[in-house]
Amino acid sequence: MTTSLEPLRRIAAYAVCADSNGRVLLVRASERSGTPGTWSLPGGAVDHGEDPKHTVVRETAAETGLSVAVAGLQDVLADMRALPERHITIHTDRLLYTVSVRGGTLTERIDRPTDLARWFTLDEARELPLRSFTARALGLPTSTDDIVPEEVPEFPSFYAVPGPDGLHRAQRFAAYAVVTDPEERVLLTRVSDGYPGAGCWHLPGGGTDYGEQPGAALIRELVEETGQTGRLVELLGVASHRDAASLGPEGYPIDWHGVRAFYRVVVDQPAPPTVADIGGSTCEARWFRREELGALPTDRLTEVTAEAVQAAHL
């Protein structure tokens, strides 16, 4: 039975690394891990406040002995698995980065969650017991022994816990969209009073639910916040922002770390925007023409909005 397991969430970042011969870098899970003997991309959990690109460099060095440089973002995906021996069910939002090796020497590790690092051709990797996200990243067939929970457990979209300094901490994964229509207008939402960034214009989107893929979450949020039906076009990037003392409707400071994937979305048949979630974090939605968007002062845009608009060359 997996319904009685404690649900957890985490954000993790991984390296997709190939050498000059086309071999890929993989690490083996040790007996100390939840999936001993399986192979996966180097990487691991994003620390609170850490930029995922730094996670990739740090974790790859620790697991393989190699120093890498991040070249770009390849994919963002989520999965859910049960670990009955640890009495937990875990949802992981995984950020996959393409990297190149700067130097170092492959090392083996003792008494760590991963114990071996090796280079494999794709044909060799195909014969290994690969974690499903690793097979997907390499374009190989997915087959896994992971136990999938029988049903999605209840888990709050916002979850803050006391940190080591006594201040509450929250690390949240979200998906947002740079939304355009056939007239090249851009759709933005305005943050309600009482929420961080109140009065600023923001991208449509929000936190993903437990067990939910980021793309599906984004299309759901788009309907809820603006009444528009859109289609995903491409992944633009990932933004990581920390507010060490964020103030929201909770009424007390929270050390907030938001990791947000942002996509380009097209609404083929735009309609007048409507906000369905009355009383929530969005109070208004509006289509902006390019010149209107360009005329908005920077301080009227949230951080992730300014970053995403720049990435989309708007």
Side-chain angles (χ1 to χ4, degrees):
M1 293 289 291
T2 62
T3 54
S4 61
L5 303 181
E6 179 187 1
L8 299 175
R9 280 193 76 157
R10 71 169 187 166
I11 303 170
Y14 298 88
V16 182
C17 185
D19 68 7
S20 58
N21 296 316
R23 298 179 302 171
V24 294
L25 182 63
L26 299 175
V27 294
R28 187 180 70 178
S30 73
E31 293 298 324
R32 292 192 55 186
S33 77
T35 53
T38 60
W39 291 82
S40 69
L41 300 173
V46 177
D47 289 342
H48 185 82
E50 184 178 36
D51 189 303
K53 292 192 293 292
H54 299 162
T55 305
V56 168
V57 175
R58 172 178 59 78
E59 285 282 345
T60 302
E63 293 185 343
T64 71
L66 301 179
S67 174
V68 299
V70 175
L73 180 67
Q74 177 172 305
D75 200 3
V76 178
L77 50 93
D79 56 62
M80 186 173 55
R81 61 181 174 133
L83 298 173
E85 70 281 2
R86 297 187 181 183
H87 309 289
I88 61 172
T89 294
I90 186 166
H91 167 113
T92 307
D93 296 293
R94 305 184 192 273
L95 316 178
L96 310 181
Y97 290 91
T98 304
V99 307
S100 59
V101 175
R102 296 186 292 189
T105 304
L106 283 183
T107 59
E108 297 183 6
R109 308 204 306 167
I110 300 174
D111 294 329
R112 304 294 294 175
T114 61
D115 57 5
L116 290 180
R118 294 287 187 272
W119 294 99
F120 294 98
T121 66
L122 286 180
D123 285 339
E124 292 170 337
R126 189 188 304 271
E127 303 303 317
L128 297 173
L130 298 176
R131 294 292 309 281
S132 58
F133 76 91
T134 298
R136 174 174 168 176
L138 300 179
L140 298 176
T142 58
S143 61
T144 178
D145 293 329
D146 287 353
I147 301 173
V148 179
E150 297 157 359
E151 57 186 63
V152 178
E154 292 186 6
F155 196 85
S157 61
F158 173 80
Y159 188 63
V161 297
D165 54 3
L167 186 67
H168 276 73
R169 283 183 169 185
Q171 187 184 60
R172 191 185 194 201
F173 181 82
Y176 289 94
V178 177
V179 181
T180 58
D181 70 358
E183 296 181 15
E184 291 300 310
R185 295 182 302 171
V186 179
L187 182 63
L188 296 180
T189 61
R190 194 157 62 88
V191 181
S192 302
D193 291 340
Y195 288 85
C200 289
W201 290 99
H202 195 33
L203 298 177
T208 63
D209 290 340
Y210 200 101
E212 191 174 35
Q213 292 293 333
L218 178 55
I219 296 304
R220 171 183 56 76
E221 288 277 351
L222 182 62
V223 173
E224 294 174 2
E225 290 188 343
T226 71
Q228 312 298 305
T229 300
R231 55 182 173 87
L232 286 174
V233 175
E234 63 178 326
L235 174 65
L236 292 172
V238 168
S240 176
H241 299 124
R242 181 184 185 183
D243 184 339
S246 177
L247 281 173
E250 299 77 23
Y252 53 86
I254 294 174
D255 184 351
W256 175 274
H257 179 207
V259 178
R260 298 138 170 166
F262 50 94
Y263 298 77
R264 184 186 295 276
V265 169
V266 171
V267 173
D268 295 306
Q269 297 180 322
T274 58
V275 180
D277 185 18
I278 304 301
S281 60
T282 298
C283 62
E284 182 184 357
R286 176 182 159 190
W287 288 104
F288 286 82
R289 297 195 177 278
R290 293 292 186 94
E291 60 272 16
E292 295 174 320
L293 178 63
L296 286 175
T298 304
D299 61 3
R300 294 289 310 282
L301 300 175
T302 61
E303 285 181 303
V304 68
T305 303
E307 190 169 330
V309 165
Q310 183 178 14
H313 305 292
L314 297 177

